[in-house]
Amino acid sequence: MLEIRHLKTLHALREADSLVEAAERLHLTQSALSHQFKELEERLGMPLFVRKTKPLRFTSAGLRLLQLADATLPLLRGAERDIARLAGGTAGRLHMAIECHSCFQWLMPTIDQFRDAWPEVELDLASGFAFAPLPALARGDLDLVVTSDPLELPGITYVPLFTYEAMLAVANQHPLAHKPYVVPEDLLTETLITYPVERDRLDIFTRFLEPADVEPAQVRTSELTVMMMQLVASGRGVCGMPHWALHEYSSRGYVKGKRLGEKGLFATLYAGIRADMLDAPYMRDFLLTAKDTSFSTLDGVSAVR
């Protein structure tokens, strides 16, 4: 009566909180996912969740199956890892770098899980702020680079991790705090606080300000997210930041997050990998773990459409 795919779809539905988002994460159409749930509910003779509720509400039967999923799916993943070890490919190295200052929030839990699951793999992490990590990846010095700015390089494949919204952090008392969204001209008189990276790697410049031929009054940099939020909260400037990194502060009323443009500004985070590493069992598992961790820990991220 029950199949592993049923447990996976229920788990995805709980994490996504909507049929549309769950279907995207499972690479299914919404129609196919709805049909799968309808088929299972007909087998069981009872509904698993209440339709058209926000947040999503599971029935008693749905909650019981979620308990089963929580107990079973980690065991299944562990068995798959063990089989991969038996088949070979357990040893190796995974040297990675990140080009994203705010990625540590989800990358550290991912690395902790991976280290426990693949103790034989030599793991190393560096920040890509002091050197160019993508050329280092192409040379073979690195095995994986987390980036939102993929470059076409021979032998490099980019695996999308998730889509996120770039937003503007402003002080609670700032005039922009009361606007539904900001336009480029709003930043003409502002001090824009950014991470210390080249302007051509910052979406707020390349995709928001420069197309409108707008330059902020001043630009200052900071390496630490918490310091940037301190500056914003004290009225020393405004700051472009991914929604997931900003949410920790805006949800506590420390600053306000404003949409960039009426429709928002969205970007995708990728894992750049050498083509010869794609089929390594531990690399595939790292990518799955990274996606699972990001969807379960970050606010406002979605599957790549």
Side-chain angles (χ1 to χ4, degrees):
M1 181 179 294
L2 285 175
E3 301 175 24
I4 294 297
R5 64 188 177 98
H6 296 141
L7 300 181
K8 288 183 176 179
T9 52
L10 269 174
H11 181 268
L13 182 60
R14 180 182 62 187
E15 296 299 317
D17 201 34
S18 77
L19 274 172
V20 174
E21 189 73 21
E24 290 179 354
R25 294 189 185 188
L26 295 167
H27 304 290
L28 298 172
T29 64
Q30 184 181 352
S31 175
L33 187 60
S34 297
H35 179 76
Q36 188 178 126
F37 278 121
K38 182 179 179 182
E39 178 189 35
L40 179 58
E41 288 175 332
E42 288 176 350
R43 288 190 196 180
L44 298 173
M46 60 185 69
L48 296 174
F49 60 94
V50 182
R51 265 70 174 175
K52 298 181 180 180
T53 58
K54 195 70 175 177
L56 195 69
R57 285 172 38 221
F58 288 91
T59 64
S60 297
L63 291 173
R64 180 63 187 89
L65 290 185
L66 281 171
Q67 289 180 342
L68 178 62
D70 289 338
T72 303
L73 294 181
L75 293 175
L76 179 65
R77 177 71 69 82
E80 290 172 342
R81 288 169 176 154
D82 291 341
I83 291 171
R85 288 189 179 91
L86 291 173
T90 62
R93 75 165 205 185
L94 181 51
H95 290 187
M96 68 183 79
I98 59 174
E99 290 189 328
C100 169
H101 282 73
S102 50
C103 284
F104 289 100
Q105 183 176 350
W106 61 269
L107 192 57
M108 292 302 103
T110 297
I111 289 175
D112 287 341
Q113 290 186 47
F114 180 82
R115 187 185 297 110
D116 291 340
W118 299 90
E120 306 92 340
V121 174
E122 177 190 335
L123 189 63
D124 193 19
L125 172 66
S127 73
F129 314 136
F131 68 101
L134 288 175
L137 177 65
R139 290 194 305 268
D141 299 337
L142 296 171
D143 305 304
L144 182 148
V145 173
V146 177
T147 181
S148 59
D149 302 296
L151 298 175
E152 281 196 33
L153 294 170
I156 302 301
T157 298
Y158 294 95
V159 178
L161 297 174
F162 55 80
T163 294
Y164 63 93
E165 183 173 4
M167 303 191 73
L168 188 74
V170 302
N172 292 324
Q173 67 276 15
H174 197 289
L176 293 177
H178 305 292
K179 294 190 64 174
Y181 58 89
V182 299
V183 296
E185 290 73 16
D186 289 328
L187 273 62
L188 280 168
T189 58
E190 298 295 333
T191 296
L192 180 62
I193 305 166
T194 73
Y195 292 113
V197 299
E198 298 87 349
R199 287 172 59 133
D200 60 7
R201 290 173 52 194
L202 294 170
D203 287 338
I204 195 167
F205 280 109
T206 60
R207 298 176 55 203
F208 186 66
L209 294 175
E210 291 175 0
D213 196 25
V214 168
E215 180 72 18
Q218 294 184 25
V219 177
R220 65 180 295 179
T221 62
S222 175
E223 290 193 2
L224 300 177
T225 301
V226 64
M227 181 58 69
M228 297 169 81
M229 292 297 96
Q230 288 276 6
L231 292 170
V232 169
S234 59
R236 305 296 294 276
V238 297
C239 169
M241 188 168 292
H243 183 280
W244 87 74
L246 177 57
H247 178 74
E248 178 183 352
Y249 302 93
S250 61
S251 64
R252 293 187 280 123
Y254 196 68
V255 296
K256 288 190 181 298
K258 309 308 298 182
R259 174 161 278 192
L260 292 168
E262 184 176 5
K263 297 182 179 179
L265 182 63
F266 294 86
T268 298
L269 201 66
Y270 298 88
I273 304 164
R274 294 200 317 277
D276 61 293
M277 294 286 292
L278 274 174
D279 292 330
Y282 62 82
M283 181 64 80
R284 292 199 304 268
D285 188 64
F286 180 85
L287 294 173
L288 287 172
T289 303
K291 289 183 180 181
D292 289 346
T293 302
S294 60
F295 286 131
S296 63
T297 60
L298 302 180
D299 188 83
V301 303
S302 60
V304 178
R305 292 176 173 83

